[in-house]
Amino acid sequence: MTANEPTTRDLAEGPDATGERAEWLETLGKHRHFLRFTARDLTDEQAGLRTTASELCIGGLIKHVTGVERTWADFILNGPSTMQDFTSMTEADWALRSDEFRMLPGETLAGVLADYAEVARRTDELVAALPDLDVSWPLPKAPWFESGARWSARRVLMHVVTETAQHSGHADIIRESMDGATSMA
């Protein structure tokens, strides 16, 4: 562990969310709201409905964003050991990963939203308590990451906000295609 990597002890002594941290959480919260709002008044069946040429559905997008946020929060705490080596994934691994974008049998919109709320709460607590947003870790092996690159907690937050905003827009298009309702218009 280097001096720039967080420890559990550091988190307990971290500050409240003010300044830059409050701004990150406010922005992330706004995009989380839009994503959740897109799912308003939907049945479980509608949450799993594909309304465009893509495989995406609103419930699946919420599941994906939940997974992204959970994984990157774990990365902030524990580094790349919390992520798999994407360069060694098999076709079966990729197929399992694609389930993250769909509502699977037995999954409910209420359950997906509850999981998202829990992950959001955990992330918010982490951001508020992290002693330094400059803490960084090397990125895991993946074809989309530059070899040897590191991301700070701040850069991770930027990524989570971007993912959430991007997929909120996707969800808005899916919802509008379903019943004409929009979340961001």
Side-chain angles (χ1 to χ4, degrees), residues 155-172:
R155 178 64 182 89
V156 168
L157 288 171
M158 187 184 311
H159 179 69
V160 171
V161 167
T162 301
E163 280 273 323
T164 305
Q166 177 181 14
H167 292 309
S168 291
H170 292 148
D172 197 45

Side-chain angles (χ1 to χ4, degrees), residues 13 22 24 32 38 41 48 52 61 63 65 72 81 87-88 93 96 100 123 126 149 174 180 185:
E13 298 172 1
W24 279 115
R32 286 175 181 150
T38 303
D41 303 324
T52 66
L61 284 168
K63 281 176 51 180
V65 170
W72 283 108
S81 66
T87 62
S88 66
D93 294 330
L96 281 174
E100 187 176 276
T123 301
L126 171 63
I174 292 167

Side-chain angles (χ1 to χ4, degrees), residues 18-179:
T18 59
E20 179 186 8
R21 295 161 200 275
E23 291 174 2
W24 279 115
L25 293 177
E26 178 184 348
T27 301
L28 181 55
K30 176 181 75 172
H31 293 296
R32 286 175 181 150
H33 165 77
F34 281 131
L35 182 56
R36 287 189 311 265
F37 189 66
T38 303
R40 71 194 177 283
D41 303 324
L42 293 180
T43 65
D44 294 338
E45 181 182 4
Q46 289 170 316
L49 189 63
R50 292 177 41 216
T51 63
T52 66
S54 80
E55 293 288 324
L56 302 176
C57 66
I58 292 172
L61 284 168
I62 295 168
K63 281 176 51 180
H64 171 68
V65 170
T66 301
V68 164
E69 190 169 322
R70 177 185 293 119
T71 299
W72 283 108
D74 289 344
F75 175 85
I76 289 172
L77 285 171
N78 302 304
S81 66
T82 62
M83 296 178 160
Q84 60 196 87
D85 175 350
F86 292 97
T87 62
S88 66
M89 286 179 62
T90 66
E91 284 188 39
D93 294 330
W94 286 109
L96 281 174
R97 183 179 163 123
S98 70
D99 285 346
E100 187 176 276
F101 291 94
R102 294 189 271 279
M103 292 283 289
L104 301 176
E107 291 180 329
T108 64
L109 180 57
V112 168
L113 288 168
D115 191 29
Y116 189 36
E118 176 57 27
V119 167
R121 182 199 57 75
R122 179 177 172 249
T123 301
D124 291 352
E125 289 175 357
L126 171 63
V127 171
L130 197 64
D132 184 355
L133 293 178
D134 290 325
V135 298
S136 70
W137 295 95
L139 291 173
K141 290 183 181 179
W144 48 85
F145 292 137
E146 180 183 337
S147 179
R150 295 177 70 91
W151 277 9
S152 67
R154 182 180 291 102
R155 178 64 182 89
V156 168
L157 288 171
M158 187 184 311
H159 179 69
V160 171
V161 167
T162 301
E163 280 273 323
T164 305
Q166 177 181 14
H167 292 309
S168 291
H170 292 148
D172 197 45
I173 290 168
I174 292 167
R175 180 64 189 260
E176 186 174 12
S177 297
M178 183 185 309
D179 62 7

